[in-house]
Amino acid sequence: MSDNKLLPLREKIDAIDAAILELLNQRARVAEEVGHVKAETNAPVFRPEREAQVLRNMADQNQGPLHTDAIQLIFREIMSACRALERRVVVAFLGPVGTFSEQAVYKQFGHAIEALPCISIDEVFRATEAGTADFGVVPIENSSEGAINRTLDLLLQTSLMISGEVSIPVQHSLMSKSGIMTGVTRICAHSQALAQCQAWLNQHYPHIERQAVASNAEAARMAGADASVAAIASEIAGQQYNLGIVSAHIQDDPHNRTRFAVIGRLRTTPSGKDQTSIVLATPNKAGAVYNLLAPLSKHGVSMTRFESRPARTGNWEYYFYVDVEGHAMDNKVKAAMDELNHDAAFFKILGSYPCTV
């Protein structure tokens, strides 16, 4: 009896699927035409501002019952597949496979790309600067541990621009080869992950040695090869190295997130909801920072982030990393940037890019 009720519904789904397939291929054919026009004008294959607009439009038009996150995930992959008809974009990230950096890559670019794992943040910058990769994805700050200082230092030195940002929820699991802690003598993870799980570890395994390694995925690889090692990593990394979960979601902050920057040579145009990152330095005198930032208030530009890093000159001088709302091409942001550039001892725009979708 149930089959009699299901059959017409399944036939309806089959018909809808056929229509979706035809529409997807129609979209792909138009995307191929776009690719031909881009090739004639030497325009970039990946336009993060355009893709951000598409995803926001889908969110605005979505009436359910599918959740907006699901709709945006589907359309991200559609755009990725269509983009690959022009050329597969190469994206470098902090490896090995299974890191949160890899998750950030796929969230930003979809899966129809060539992902290039690198052994360090420095190597991600080098691969992108050399043209081995079209883009790089690097962690820039964590909601509980703060800025990733190596990334900030490299952004100061590089000629690359920030062309996008990605925010990933960080959920750590304790895993071992057997799925239990019997025989485990070391808990390995990236230093930031150890810090993010410190209170939980102190409560549950205070006497087991903790060892910082290059990445959480590297810790998972070690645990997969050595039963005396437990790893703190993502469940994806655990699956990659056939680990059993001892305890899930052990991060001290349940809302822990890491923000990643997309770096490359692309200068984006305004998407309608953008952010601009700058780095600057002030003369060493009283009230210099206050006076330097005054143009932001004067022109009605909101500052969303402020970080300081030593200039390493030995004179207690600092660089200040600032994020503001808006694109550098927006009138009020441009006016503020012009004043900052005039007044600062050092000024550099790191990039204007769409806010994370």
Short mmCIF file of all heavy atoms in Angstrom, two decimals, residues 7-74:
data_model
loop_
_atom_site.label_atom_id
_atom_site.label_comp_id
_atom_site.label_asym_id
_atom_site.label_seq_id
_atom_site.Cartn_x
_atom_site.Cartn_y
_atom_site.Cartn_z
N LEU A 7 5.02 5.81 -5.15
CA LEU A 7 5.36 5.78 -6.57
C LEU A 7 5.10 7.12 -7.27
O LEU A 7 6.00 7.63 -7.96
CB LEU A 7 4.60 4.65 -7.28
CG LEU A 7 4.92 4.47 -8.76
CD1 LEU A 7 6.41 4.19 -8.95
CD2 LEU A 7 4.07 3.36 -9.37
N PRO A 8 3.92 7.72 -7.13
CA PRO A 8 3.73 9.01 -7.82
C PRO A 8 4.66 10.11 -7.28
O PRO A 8 5.07 11.00 -8.03
CB PRO A 8 2.26 9.33 -7.55
CG PRO A 8 1.86 8.49 -6.39
CD PRO A 8 2.68 7.26 -6.47
N LEU A 9 4.99 10.05 -5.98
CA LEU A 9 5.90 11.05 -5.42
C LEU A 9 7.31 10.86 -5.98
O LEU A 9 7.99 11.84 -6.30
CB LEU A 9 5.93 10.95 -3.89
CG LEU A 9 4.60 11.28 -3.18
CD1 LEU A 9 4.72 11.03 -1.68
CD2 LEU A 9 4.21 12.73 -3.44
N ARG A 10 7.73 9.61 -6.11
CA ARG A 10 9.04 9.34 -6.68
C ARG A 10 9.11 9.76 -8.14
O ARG A 10 10.12 10.28 -8.62
CB ARG A 10 9.37 7.86 -6.54
CG ARG A 10 9.72 7.46 -5.10
CD ARG A 10 9.81 5.96 -4.95
NE ARG A 10 10.26 5.59 -3.60
CZ ARG A 10 10.13 4.38 -3.07
NH1 ARG A 10 9.56 3.40 -3.79
NH2 ARG A 10 10.57 4.13 -1.85
N GLU A 11 8.01 9.55 -8.87
CA GLU A 11 7.96 9.97 -10.27
C GLU A 11 8.06 11.50 -10.37
O GLU A 11 8.71 12.04 -11.26
CB GLU A 11 6.69 9.46 -10.93
CG GLU A 11 6.68 7.94 -11.14
CD GLU A 11 5.35 7.44 -11.67
OE1 GLU A 11 4.36 8.21 -11.61
OE2 GLU A 11 5.29 6.29 -12.15
N LYS A 12 7.41 12.17 -9.42
CA LYS A 12 7.47 13.64 -9.39
C LYS A 12 8.90 14.11 -9.11
O LYS A 12 9.41 15.05 -9.75
CB LYS A 12 6.51 14.18 -8.32
CG LYS A 12 6.40 15.70 -8.31
CD LYS A 12 5.43 16.19 -7.25
CE LYS A 12 3.99 15.80 -7.60
NZ LYS A 12 3.01 16.40 -6.65
N ILE A 13 9.58 13.44 -8.16
CA ILE A 13 10.97 13.79 -7.84
C ILE A 13 11.86 13.55 -9.05
O ILE A 13 12.74 14.36 -9.38
CB ILE A 13 11.46 13.00 -6.61
CG1 ILE A 13 10.84 13.57 -5.33
CG2 ILE A 13 12.99 13.03 -6.51
CD1 ILE A 13 11.17 12.80 -4.08
N ASP A 14 11.65 12.42 -9.74
CA ASP A 14 12.46 12.12 -10.93
C ASP A 14 12.30 13.21 -11.99
O ASP A 14 13.28 13.61 -12.64
CB ASP A 14 12.05 10.77 -11.52
CG ASP A 14 12.50 9.59 -10.65
OD1 ASP A 14 13.37 9.81 -9.78
OD2 ASP A 14 11.97 8.48 -10.85
N ALA A 15 11.07 13.68 -12.18
CA ALA A 15 10.82 14.73 -13.17
C ALA A 15 11.50 16.04 -12.75
O ALA A 15 12.08 16.75 -13.59
CB ALA A 15 9.31 14.94 -13.35
N ILE A 16 11.42 16.36 -11.47
CA ILE A 16 12.07 17.58 -10.96
C ILE A 16 13.58 17.47 -11.12
O ILE A 16 14.26 18.42 -11.54
CB ILE A 16 11.68 17.84 -9.49
CG1 ILE A 16 10.19 18.18 -9.39
CG2 ILE A 16 12.54 18.96 -8.90
CD1 ILE A 16 9.67 18.22 -7.96
N ASP A 17 14.14 16.28 -10.79
CA ASP A 17 15.58 16.07 -10.93
C ASP A 17 16.03 16.27 -12.37
O ASP A 17 17.09 16.85 -12.63
CB ASP A 17 15.97 14.68 -10.45
CG ASP A 17 15.93 14.53 -8.93
OD1 ASP A 17 15.84 15.58 -8.24
OD2 ASP A 17 15.97 13.39 -8.44
N ALA A 18 15.23 15.78 -13.32
CA ALA A 18 15.57 15.94 -14.73
C ALA A 18 15.57 17.42 -15.12
O ALA A 18 16.44 17.89 -15.87
CB ALA A 18 14.59 15.16 -15.61
N ALA A 19 14.60 18.17 -14.57
CA ALA A 19 14.54 19.61 -14.85
C ALA A 19 15.72 20.34 -14.23
O ALA A 19 16.31 21.24 -14.85
CB ALA A 19 13.22 20.18 -14.31
N ILE A 20 16.09 19.94 -13.00
CA ILE A 20 17.26 20.55 -12.34
C ILE A 20 18.52 20.28 -13.16
O ILE A 20 19.35 21.17 -13.36
CB ILE A 20 17.40 20.01 -10.91
CG1 ILE A 20 16.26 20.53 -10.02
CG2 ILE A 20 18.75 20.41 -10.32
CD1 ILE A 20 16.24 19.91 -8.63
N LEU A 21 18.66 19.04 -13.63
CA LEU A 21 19.83 18.68 -14.42
C LEU A 21 19.94 19.53 -15.68
O LEU A 21 21.02 20.02 -16.03
CB LEU A 21 19.78 17.19 -14.78
CG LEU A 21 20.93 16.67 -15.66
CD1 LEU A 21 22.27 16.85 -14.96
CD2 LEU A 21 20.69 15.20 -16.01
N GLU A 22 18.81 19.71 -16.36
CA GLU A 22 18.82 20.53 -17.57
C GLU A 22 19.20 21.97 -17.25
O GLU A 22 19.99 22.60 -17.96
CB GLU A 22 17.45 20.48 -18.24
CG GLU A 22 17.30 21.41 -19.45
CD GLU A 22 18.35 21.19 -20.52
OE1 GLU A 22 18.84 20.05 -20.67
OE2 GLU A 22 18.70 22.17 -21.20
N LEU A 23 18.65 22.51 -16.15
CA LEU A 23 18.97 23.88 -15.75
C LEU A 23 20.44 24.02 -15.36
O LEU A 23 21.08 25.04 -15.67
CB LEU A 23 18.07 24.31 -14.59
CG LEU A 23 16.60 24.57 -14.95
CD1 LEU A 23 15.77 24.78 -13.69
CD2 LEU A 23 16.48 25.77 -15.89
N LEU A 24 20.99 23.01 -14.68
CA LEU A 24 22.40 23.05 -14.31
C LEU A 24 23.28 23.10 -15.55
O LEU A 24 24.26 23.86 -15.61
CB LEU A 24 22.76 21.84 -13.46
CG LEU A 24 22.28 21.84 -12.00
CD1 LEU A 24 22.59 20.50 -11.34
CD2 LEU A 24 22.93 22.98 -11.22
N ASN A 25 22.93 22.31 -16.55
CA ASN A 25 23.72 22.32 -17.78
C ASN A 25 23.52 23.60 -18.58
O ASN A 25 24.45 24.08 -19.25
CB ASN A 25 23.41 21.09 -18.62
CG ASN A 25 24.15 19.86 -18.11
OD1 ASN A 25 25.35 19.91 -17.89
ND2 ASN A 25 23.43 18.76 -17.91
N GLN A 26 22.33 24.18 -18.50
CA GLN A 26 22.13 25.50 -19.10
C GLN A 26 23.04 26.52 -18.44
O GLN A 26 23.68 27.34 -19.11
CB GLN A 26 20.67 25.94 -18.93
CG GLN A 26 19.69 25.28 -19.89
CD GLN A 26 18.30 25.86 -19.75
OE1 GLN A 26 18.13 27.07 -19.51
NE2 GLN A 26 17.29 25.02 -19.90
N ARG A 27 23.09 26.47 -17.11
CA ARG A 27 23.97 27.39 -16.36
C ARG A 27 25.43 27.17 -16.75
O ARG A 27 26.19 28.13 -16.94
CB ARG A 27 23.79 27.20 -14.85
CG ARG A 27 24.48 28.26 -14.00
CD ARG A 27 24.53 27.88 -12.53
NE ARG A 27 24.84 29.03 -11.69
CZ ARG A 27 26.05 29.53 -11.52
NH1 ARG A 27 27.07 29.01 -12.17
NH2 ARG A 27 26.23 30.57 -10.73
N ALA A 28 25.82 25.91 -16.89
CA ALA A 28 27.20 25.59 -17.24
C ALA A 28 27.55 26.12 -18.63
O ALA A 28 28.67 26.61 -18.85
CB ALA A 28 27.42 24.08 -17.17
N ARG A 29 26.60 26.03 -19.55
CA ARG A 29 26.87 26.54 -20.90
C ARG A 29 27.05 28.05 -20.90
O ARG A 29 27.93 28.58 -21.60
CB ARG A 29 25.74 26.13 -21.86
CG ARG A 29 25.80 24.63 -22.26
CD ARG A 29 24.81 24.30 -23.36
NE ARG A 29 23.45 24.21 -22.85
CZ ARG A 29 22.90 23.09 -22.37
NH1 ARG A 29 23.60 21.97 -22.34
NH2 ARG A 29 21.65 23.08 -21.94
N VAL A 30 26.25 28.75 -20.09
CA VAL A 30 26.43 30.20 -19.96
C VAL A 30 27.77 30.51 -19.29
O VAL A 30 28.47 31.44 -19.68
CB VAL A 30 25.26 30.83 -19.17
CG1 VAL A 30 25.52 32.32 -18.92
CG2 VAL A 30 23.94 30.64 -19.92
N ALA A 31 28.13 29.70 -18.29
CA ALA A 31 29.42 29.88 -17.62
C ALA A 31 30.57 29.70 -18.60
O ALA A 31 31.58 30.41 -18.52
CB ALA A 31 29.55 28.90 -16.45
N GLU A 32 30.43 28.76 -19.54
CA GLU A 32 31.46 28.59 -20.57
C GLU A 32 31.58 29.84 -21.44
O GLU A 32 32.68 30.26 -21.79
CB GLU A 32 31.14 27.36 -21.43
CG GLU A 32 31.41 26.03 -20.73
CD GLU A 32 31.16 24.84 -21.64
OE1 GLU A 32 30.11 24.84 -22.33
OE2 GLU A 32 32.00 23.93 -21.66
N GLU A 33 30.44 30.45 -21.76
CA GLU A 33 30.46 31.69 -22.54
C GLU A 33 31.17 32.79 -21.74
O GLU A 33 31.95 33.57 -22.30
CB GLU A 33 29.04 32.12 -22.89
CG GLU A 33 28.33 31.19 -23.86
CD GLU A 33 26.91 31.67 -24.16
OE1 GLU A 33 26.67 32.88 -24.07
OE2 GLU A 33 26.06 30.82 -24.47
N VAL A 34 30.88 32.85 -20.44
CA VAL A 34 31.56 33.82 -19.58
C VAL A 34 33.06 33.59 -19.61
O VAL A 34 33.86 34.52 -19.67
CB VAL A 34 31.03 33.72 -18.12
CG1 VAL A 34 31.90 34.54 -17.16
CG2 VAL A 34 29.59 34.19 -18.05
N GLY A 35 33.45 32.31 -19.58
CA GLY A 35 34.86 31.96 -19.63
C GLY A 35 35.54 32.44 -20.90
O GLY A 35 36.68 32.92 -20.86
N HIS A 36 34.84 32.33 -22.04
CA HIS A 36 35.40 32.81 -23.30
C HIS A 36 35.62 34.32 -23.27
O HIS A 36 36.65 34.82 -23.73
CB HIS A 36 34.48 32.44 -24.46
CG HIS A 36 34.33 30.96 -24.67
ND1 HIS A 36 35.38 30.09 -24.53
CD2 HIS A 36 33.24 30.20 -25.03
CE1 HIS A 36 34.98 28.85 -24.78
NE2 HIS A 36 33.68 28.89 -25.08
N VAL A 37 34.65 35.05 -22.68
CA VAL A 37 34.78 36.50 -22.58
C VAL A 37 35.94 36.87 -21.65
O VAL A 37 36.74 37.77 -21.95
CB VAL A 37 33.46 37.13 -22.07
CG1 VAL A 37 33.64 38.63 -21.81
CG2 VAL A 37 32.33 36.89 -23.07
N LYS A 38 36.05 36.13 -20.55
CA LYS A 38 37.16 36.39 -19.62
C LYS A 38 38.51 36.15 -20.29
O LYS A 38 39.46 36.90 -20.08
CB LYS A 38 37.03 35.49 -18.38
CG LYS A 38 35.95 35.91 -17.40
CD LYS A 38 35.95 34.97 -16.19
CE LYS A 38 34.91 35.36 -15.16
NZ LYS A 38 34.91 34.44 -14.00
N ALA A 39 38.57 35.09 -21.09
CA ALA A 39 39.83 34.78 -21.77
C ALA A 39 40.22 35.89 -22.74
O ALA A 39 41.41 36.23 -22.87
CB ALA A 39 39.71 33.45 -22.52
N GLU A 40 39.24 36.48 -23.40
CA GLU A 40 39.52 37.56 -24.35
C GLU A 40 40.04 38.80 -23.64
O GLU A 40 40.85 39.54 -24.19
CB GLU A 40 38.24 37.90 -25.13
CG GLU A 40 37.79 36.80 -26.09
CD GLU A 40 36.42 37.10 -26.68
OE1 GLU A 40 35.83 38.13 -26.30
OE2 GLU A 40 35.95 36.30 -27.52
N THR A 41 39.55 39.02 -22.42
CA THR A 41 39.92 40.23 -21.67
C THR A 41 40.96 39.96 -20.59
O THR A 41 41.31 40.86 -19.83
CB THR A 41 38.67 40.86 -21.03
OG1 THR A 41 38.06 39.90 -20.15
CG2 THR A 41 37.67 41.28 -22.09
N ASN A 42 41.44 38.70 -20.52
CA ASN A 42 42.41 38.30 -19.50
C ASN A 42 41.89 38.54 -18.08
O ASN A 42 42.64 38.90 -17.17
CB ASN A 42 43.74 39.04 -19.70
CG ASN A 42 44.90 38.30 -19.06
OD1 ASN A 42 44.87 37.07 -18.94
ND2 ASN A 42 45.91 39.04 -18.64
N ALA A 43 40.58 38.34 -17.89
CA ALA A 43 39.96 38.52 -16.57
C ALA A 43 40.18 37.27 -15.72
O ALA A 43 40.32 36.17 -16.26
CB ALA A 43 38.46 38.80 -16.73
N PRO A 44 40.22 37.42 -14.40
CA PRO A 44 40.47 36.27 -13.53
C PRO A 44 39.31 35.27 -13.55
O PRO A 44 38.15 35.65 -13.72
CB PRO A 44 40.64 36.88 -12.14
CG PRO A 44 39.94 38.21 -12.22
CD PRO A 44 40.11 38.67 -13.63
N VAL A 45 39.65 33.99 -13.35
CA VAL A 45 38.63 32.93 -13.32
C VAL A 45 37.77 33.06 -12.08
O VAL A 45 36.54 32.94 -12.14
CB VAL A 45 39.32 31.55 -13.36
CG1 VAL A 45 38.30 30.43 -13.13
CG2 VAL A 45 40.03 31.35 -14.69
N PHE A 46 38.40 33.31 -10.95
CA PHE A 46 37.69 33.37 -9.66
C PHE A 46 37.43 34.82 -9.28
O PHE A 46 38.36 35.63 -9.18
CB PHE A 46 38.53 32.68 -8.59
CG PHE A 46 37.92 32.75 -7.21
CD1 PHE A 46 36.67 32.21 -6.93
CD2 PHE A 46 38.62 33.34 -6.16
CE1 PHE A 46 36.12 32.26 -5.67
CE2 PHE A 46 38.09 33.39 -4.88
CZ PHE A 46 36.84 32.86 -4.63
N ARG A 47 36.15 35.16 -9.09
CA ARG A 47 35.76 36.50 -8.65
C ARG A 47 35.00 36.36 -7.34
O ARG A 47 33.79 36.10 -7.32
CB ARG A 47 34.89 37.19 -9.69
CG ARG A 47 35.53 37.45 -11.02
CD ARG A 47 36.75 38.34 -11.01
NE ARG A 47 36.66 39.53 -10.19
CZ ARG A 47 37.36 40.65 -10.41
NH1 ARG A 47 38.19 40.72 -11.44
NH2 ARG A 47 37.26 41.67 -9.60
N PRO A 48 35.68 36.47 -6.20
CA PRO A 48 35.01 36.25 -4.92
C PRO A 48 33.86 37.21 -4.65
O PRO A 48 32.88 36.84 -4.01
CB PRO A 48 36.14 36.43 -3.89
CG PRO A 48 37.21 37.17 -4.61
CD PRO A 48 37.11 36.78 -6.04
N GLU A 49 33.96 38.44 -5.16
CA GLU A 49 32.88 39.40 -4.92
C GLU A 49 31.61 38.98 -5.65
O GLU A 49 30.50 39.12 -5.11
CB GLU A 49 33.31 40.83 -5.31
CG GLU A 49 33.62 41.05 -6.79
CD GLU A 49 35.06 40.77 -7.17
OE1 GLU A 49 35.62 39.76 -6.70
OE2 GLU A 49 35.61 41.56 -7.97
N ARG A 50 31.75 38.45 -6.89
CA ARG A 50 30.59 37.99 -7.64
C ARG A 50 29.97 36.77 -6.96
O ARG A 50 28.74 36.67 -6.83
CB ARG A 50 31.01 37.66 -9.08
CG ARG A 50 29.98 36.90 -9.90
CD ARG A 50 28.66 37.65 -10.02
NE ARG A 50 27.68 36.86 -10.77
CZ ARG A 50 26.38 37.04 -10.71
NH1 ARG A 50 25.86 37.98 -9.92
NH2 ARG A 50 25.56 36.30 -11.43
N GLU A 51 30.80 35.83 -6.52
CA GLU A 51 30.28 34.63 -5.88
C GLU A 51 29.60 34.97 -4.56
O GLU A 51 28.58 34.36 -4.20
CB GLU A 51 31.39 33.60 -5.70
CG GLU A 51 31.93 33.10 -7.05
CD GLU A 51 32.74 31.83 -6.96
OE1 GLU A 51 32.84 31.25 -5.84
OE2 GLU A 51 33.26 31.38 -8.00
N ALA A 52 30.15 35.93 -3.83
CA ALA A 52 29.51 36.36 -2.58
C ALA A 52 28.13 36.96 -2.87
O ALA A 52 27.16 36.72 -2.13
CB ALA A 52 30.39 37.38 -1.86
N GLN A 53 28.01 37.72 -3.96
CA GLN A 53 26.71 38.30 -4.33
C GLN A 53 25.70 37.21 -4.65
O GLN A 53 24.53 37.29 -4.23
CB GLN A 53 26.88 39.24 -5.52
CG GLN A 53 27.61 40.52 -5.19
CD GLN A 53 27.97 41.32 -6.45
OE1 GLN A 53 27.99 40.79 -7.56
NE2 GLN A 53 28.29 42.59 -6.27
N VAL A 54 26.14 36.17 -5.38
CA VAL A 54 25.23 35.06 -5.72
C VAL A 54 24.74 34.38 -4.45
O VAL A 54 23.54 34.11 -4.29
CB VAL A 54 25.94 34.04 -6.63
CG1 VAL A 54 25.09 32.78 -6.80
CG2 VAL A 54 26.22 34.66 -8.01
N LEU A 55 25.65 34.10 -3.52
CA LEU A 55 25.27 33.40 -2.29
C LEU A 55 24.34 34.24 -1.43
O LEU A 55 23.39 33.72 -0.83
CB LEU A 55 26.53 33.03 -1.50
CG LEU A 55 27.45 32.01 -2.18
CD1 LEU A 55 28.70 31.79 -1.36
CD2 LEU A 55 26.73 30.68 -2.41
N ARG A 56 24.59 35.54 -1.38
CA ARG A 56 23.69 36.42 -0.61
C ARG A 56 22.31 36.49 -1.28
O ARG A 56 21.28 36.51 -0.59
CB ARG A 56 24.30 37.82 -0.49
CG ARG A 56 25.54 37.87 0.40
CD ARG A 56 26.15 39.26 0.38
NE ARG A 56 27.50 39.25 0.92
CZ ARG A 56 28.47 40.05 0.53
NH1 ARG A 56 28.23 40.95 -0.43
NH2 ARG A 56 29.66 39.99 1.07
N ASN A 57 22.29 36.55 -2.61
CA ASN A 57 21.01 36.57 -3.32
C ASN A 57 20.21 35.30 -3.05
O ASN A 57 18.99 35.35 -2.85
CB ASN A 57 21.24 36.73 -4.83
CG ASN A 57 21.71 38.12 -5.22
OD1 ASN A 57 21.51 39.07 -4.45
ND2 ASN A 57 22.33 38.24 -6.37
N MET A 58 20.88 34.16 -3.04
CA MET A 58 20.19 32.90 -2.77
C MET A 58 19.62 32.89 -1.35
O MET A 58 18.51 32.40 -1.11
CB MET A 58 21.14 31.73 -2.96
CG MET A 58 21.58 31.48 -4.39
SD MET A 58 20.19 31.17 -5.54
CE MET A 58 20.01 32.80 -6.31
N ALA A 59 20.38 33.45 -0.41
CA ALA A 59 19.88 33.53 0.98
C ALA A 59 18.64 34.42 1.06
O ALA A 59 17.67 34.08 1.75
CB ALA A 59 20.99 34.06 1.89
N ASP A 60 18.66 35.53 0.34
CA ASP A 60 17.52 36.46 0.37
C ASP A 60 16.28 35.86 -0.29
O ASP A 60 15.15 36.11 0.12
CB ASP A 60 17.89 37.77 -0.34
CG ASP A 60 18.94 38.57 0.42
OD1 ASP A 60 19.11 38.32 1.64
OD2 ASP A 60 19.60 39.43 -0.20
N GLN A 61 16.49 35.05 -1.34
CA GLN A 61 15.36 34.50 -2.10
C GLN A 61 14.83 33.19 -1.51
O GLN A 61 13.72 32.76 -1.86
CB GLN A 61 15.78 34.27 -3.55
CG GLN A 61 16.13 35.53 -4.32
CD GLN A 61 16.67 35.24 -5.71
OE1 GLN A 61 16.22 34.33 -6.38
NE2 GLN A 61 17.66 36.03 -6.13
N ASN A 62 15.61 32.57 -0.64
CA ASN A 62 15.23 31.24 -0.13
C ASN A 62 13.97 31.31 0.74
O ASN A 62 13.93 32.06 1.71
CB ASN A 62 16.39 30.64 0.68
CG ASN A 62 16.05 29.24 1.17
OD1 ASN A 62 15.36 28.48 0.50
ND2 ASN A 62 16.56 28.91 2.34
N GLN A 63 12.97 30.53 0.40
CA GLN A 63 11.73 30.47 1.17
C GLN A 63 11.54 29.12 1.86
O GLN A 63 10.48 28.83 2.39
CB GLN A 63 10.54 30.78 0.26
CG GLN A 63 10.58 32.19 -0.32
CD GLN A 63 9.37 32.48 -1.21
OE1 GLN A 63 8.47 31.65 -1.38
NE2 GLN A 63 9.35 33.67 -1.78
N GLY A 64 12.59 28.27 1.84
CA GLY A 64 12.49 26.98 2.52
C GLY A 64 11.70 25.96 1.72
O GLY A 64 11.17 26.26 0.66
N PRO A 65 11.63 24.73 2.25
CA PRO A 65 12.05 24.32 3.58
C PRO A 65 13.54 24.07 3.75
O PRO A 65 14.01 23.87 4.87
CB PRO A 65 11.28 23.01 3.79
CG PRO A 65 11.14 22.44 2.43
CD PRO A 65 10.97 23.62 1.52
N LEU A 66 14.33 24.07 2.65
CA LEU A 66 15.77 23.89 2.81
C LEU A 66 16.36 25.07 3.58
O LEU A 66 16.02 26.24 3.33
CB LEU A 66 16.45 23.77 1.45
CG LEU A 66 16.33 22.43 0.71
CD1 LEU A 66 17.00 22.52 -0.65
CD2 LEU A 66 16.94 21.31 1.53
N HIS A 67 17.28 24.75 4.52
CA HIS A 67 17.92 25.80 5.30
C HIS A 67 18.85 26.60 4.40
O HIS A 67 19.44 26.09 3.45
CB HIS A 67 18.71 25.17 6.46
CG HIS A 67 19.12 26.16 7.50
ND1 HIS A 67 20.25 26.93 7.38
CD2 HIS A 67 18.54 26.51 8.69
CE1 HIS A 67 20.36 27.73 8.44
NE2 HIS A 67 19.34 27.48 9.25
N THR A 68 19.00 27.88 4.71
CA THR A 68 19.84 28.76 3.90
C THR A 68 21.28 28.26 3.80
O THR A 68 21.90 28.35 2.74
CB THR A 68 19.81 30.20 4.48
OG1 THR A 68 18.49 30.73 4.32
CG2 THR A 68 20.79 31.11 3.74
N ASP A 69 21.82 27.71 4.89
CA ASP A 69 23.18 27.17 4.86
C ASP A 69 23.30 26.07 3.81
O ASP A 69 24.31 25.98 3.09
CB ASP A 69 23.59 26.62 6.23
CG ASP A 69 23.86 27.72 7.24
OD1 ASP A 69 23.97 28.89 6.82
OD2 ASP A 69 23.96 27.42 8.44
N ALA A 70 22.27 25.21 3.72
CA ALA A 70 22.28 24.13 2.74
C ALA A 70 22.20 24.67 1.32
O ALA A 70 22.90 24.19 0.42
CB ALA A 70 21.13 23.16 3.02
N ILE A 71 21.37 25.69 1.12
CA ILE A 71 21.24 26.31 -0.20
C ILE A 71 22.58 26.90 -0.63
O ILE A 71 23.03 26.72 -1.77
CB ILE A 71 20.14 27.39 -0.17
CG1 ILE A 71 18.75 26.76 -0.02
CG2 ILE A 71 20.20 28.26 -1.43
CD1 ILE A 71 18.30 25.94 -1.20
N GLN A 72 23.23 27.62 0.28
CA GLN A 72 24.50 28.24 -0.07
C GLN A 72 25.58 27.20 -0.34
O GLN A 72 26.42 27.39 -1.23
CB GLN A 72 24.94 29.21 1.04
CG GLN A 72 24.05 30.45 1.11
CD GLN A 72 24.46 31.41 2.20
OE1 GLN A 72 24.98 31.01 3.25
NE2 GLN A 72 24.26 32.69 1.97
N LEU A 73 25.57 26.10 0.40
CA LEU A 73 26.52 25.02 0.15
C LEU A 73 26.33 24.43 -1.24
O LEU A 73 27.30 24.21 -1.98
CB LEU A 73 26.36 23.93 1.22
CG LEU A 73 27.24 22.68 1.06
CD1 LEU A 73 28.71 23.05 1.18
CD2 LEU A 73 26.86 21.63 2.11
N ILE A 74 25.08 24.20 -1.61
CA ILE A 74 24.78 23.66 -2.94
C ILE A 74 25.25 24.61 -4.03
O ILE A 74 25.92 24.21 -5.00
CB ILE A 74 23.26 23.38 -3.08
CG1 ILE A 74 22.86 22.22 -2.17
CG2 ILE A 74 22.89 23.08 -4.53
CD1 ILE A 74 21.36 22.08 -1.99
#
